[in-house]
Amino acid sequence: MNKTAQNTIPVIAVDGPSASGKGTVAQLVADKLGFGYLDSGALYRVVAFATKQNGIDWHNAEAVAACARKLDIQFKNEQIYLNNTDISELIRTEEMSKGASQVAVHAPLRAALIDLQHKFRQAPGLVADGRDMGTVIFPDAELKIFLTASTETRAERRYKQLLGKGLPANYANILLDLQERDARDKGRASAPLVMAADAILLETDNLTIAEAVNTVLQNFEHKKLNKNCK
Ligand code: DC
């Protein structure tokens, strides 16, 4: 498909801070609409994982980007593969959360991942979740949502999630870690976490997942109706 035709395919951009629940919400919205789903954070996690495996320092921007350009990353049936090995679980550790946030500050790495992300824009549509979906990667997205919750709510959710998986969890450490990651994601020079001017703010502290999903779907319907009336 040529670029112009691809640019007419609708995108719903769901951005927000770590552990805001945007991944769960974005995936459910995609399922409801029969759209594809891009978990852009997973790409940064894979890069953190692969560079660590290759002994590359996460602070070395050029080496990290060069490694990323050579990676064979595939998404299949909600699993993520690196060189044909399923690494879906290995990239979800707290170490890789931190590593992803560290490698994500590098402009050459962000540039190296742009084309790969654009390729996810396939008919009938895409729900893309991340930090810069609405601001940098899909600035023409049909609907932009900025999904957030207080740091305490997010820390509590992550805490319960870890306990639910039978993993060790310490609320105070999780809270500190989230604050550190928020500061890095918001403070970096390249594509920082910021709400797009035309995004809709969705605060989920007092919303269930189903309510958040419905709000996104209603806003999408609304946008489509408005477009048809123009
Ligand atoms: O969404 P996540 O927690 O899986 O993302 C992991 C890290 O990747 C996050 O701390 C910042 C980075 N990231 C980014 O910089 N840009 C994106 N579009 C998605 C994630």
Side-chain angles (χ1 to χ4, degrees), residues 30-91:
D31 290 349
K32 283 258 178 198
L33 295 169
F35 281 13
Y37 169 57
L38 166 62
D39 171 5
S40 63
L43 299 175
Y44 293 92
R45 288 171 181 272
V46 172
V47 172
F49 178 82
T51 44
K52 172 147 195 239
Q53 269 199 327
N54 286 281
I56 294 167
D57 182 353
W58 285 336
H59 295 101
N60 186 337
E62 288 307 330
V64 167
C67 175
R69 282 185 214 108
K70 290 185 213 136
L71 295 180
D72 173 17
I73 306 174
Q74 308 275 344
F75 287 86
K76 279 183 240 162
N77 306 325
E78 296 178 21
Q79 306 301 314
I80 186 156
Y81 292 79
L82 176 62
N83 301 329
N84 294 320
T85 303
D86 184 351
I87 55 160
S88 317
E89 290 299 320
L90 298 174
I91 60 169

Side-chain angles (χ1 to χ4, degrees):
M1 191 188 310
N2 66 41
K3 269 264 174 216
T4 322
Q6 201 182 19
N7 287 350
T8 62
I9 294 169
V11 174
I12 301 179
V14 183
D15 288 305
S18 301
S20 56
K22 63 189 161 35
T24 310
V25 172
Q27 174 85 70
L28 287 168
V29 169
D31 290 349
K32 283 258 178 198
L33 295 169
F35 281 13
Y37 169 57
L38 166 62
D39 171 5
S40 63
L43 299 175
Y44 293 92
R45 288 171 181 272
V46 172
V47 172
F49 178 82
T51 44
K52 172 147 195 239
Q53 269 199 327
N54 286 281
I56 294 167
D57 182 353
W58 285 336
H59 295 101
N60 186 337
E62 288 307 330
V64 167
C67 175
R69 282 185 214 108
K70 290 185 213 136
L71 295 180
D72 173 17
I73 306 174
Q74 308 275 344
F75 287 86
K76 279 183 240 162
N77 306 325
E78 296 178 21
Q79 306 301 314
I80 186 156
Y81 292 79
L82 176 62
N83 301 329
N84 294 320
T85 303
D86 184 351
I87 55 160
S88 317
E89 290 299 320
L90 298 174
I91 60 169
R92 297 289 157 198
T93 63
E94 289 304 296
E95 186 193 10
M96 289 307 140
S97 299
K98 195 173 262 191
S101 172
Q102 286 188 12
V103 296
V105 303
H106 302 312
L109 170 64
R110 304 198 72 86
L113 295 178
I114 291 176
D115 280 352
L116 177 60
Q117 293 176 85
H118 284 166
K119 285 195 186 126
F120 279 81
R121 193 170 193 168
Q122 301 285 341
L126 174 70
V127 184
D129 128 39
R131 304 294 184 291
D132 60 345
M133 298 297 98
T135 49
V136 177
I137 305 296
F138 301 110
D140 60 340
E142 188 136 342
L143 175 66
K144 299 180 188 178
I145 300 285
F146 194 82
L147 199 140
T148 188
S150 71
T151 326
E152 289 73 19
T153 301
R154 291 186 282 126
E156 203 177 306
R157 286 178 187 163
R158 179 59 53 91
Y159 175 72
K160 287 184 179 156
Q161 198 181 37
L162 288 172
L163 288 185
K165 286 186 188 168
L167 295 169
N170 176 304
Y171 176 81
N173 287 348
I174 293 172
L175 184 64
L176 259 181
D177 211 58
L178 275 182
Q179 285 165 336
E180 208 178 89
R181 243 186 300 155
D182 281 357
R184 194 163 37 230
D185 293 349
K186 287 179 188 164
R188 68 182 176 222
S190 181
L193 170 66
V194 60
M195 181 168 148
D198 50 351
I200 292 166
L201 176 66
L202 191 56
E203 287 175 321
T204 64
D205 294 79
N206 299 311
L207 289 186
T208 63
I209 291 171
E211 285 167 338
V213 169
N214 280 336
T215 308
V216 177
L217 289 170
Q218 279 163 10
N219 276 289
F220 186 58
E221 280 308 311
H222 205 85
K223 283 263 173 185
K224 276 203 309 197
L225 283 178
N226 280 350
K227 201 167 127 188
N228 291 338
C229 294
K230 271 186 189 154

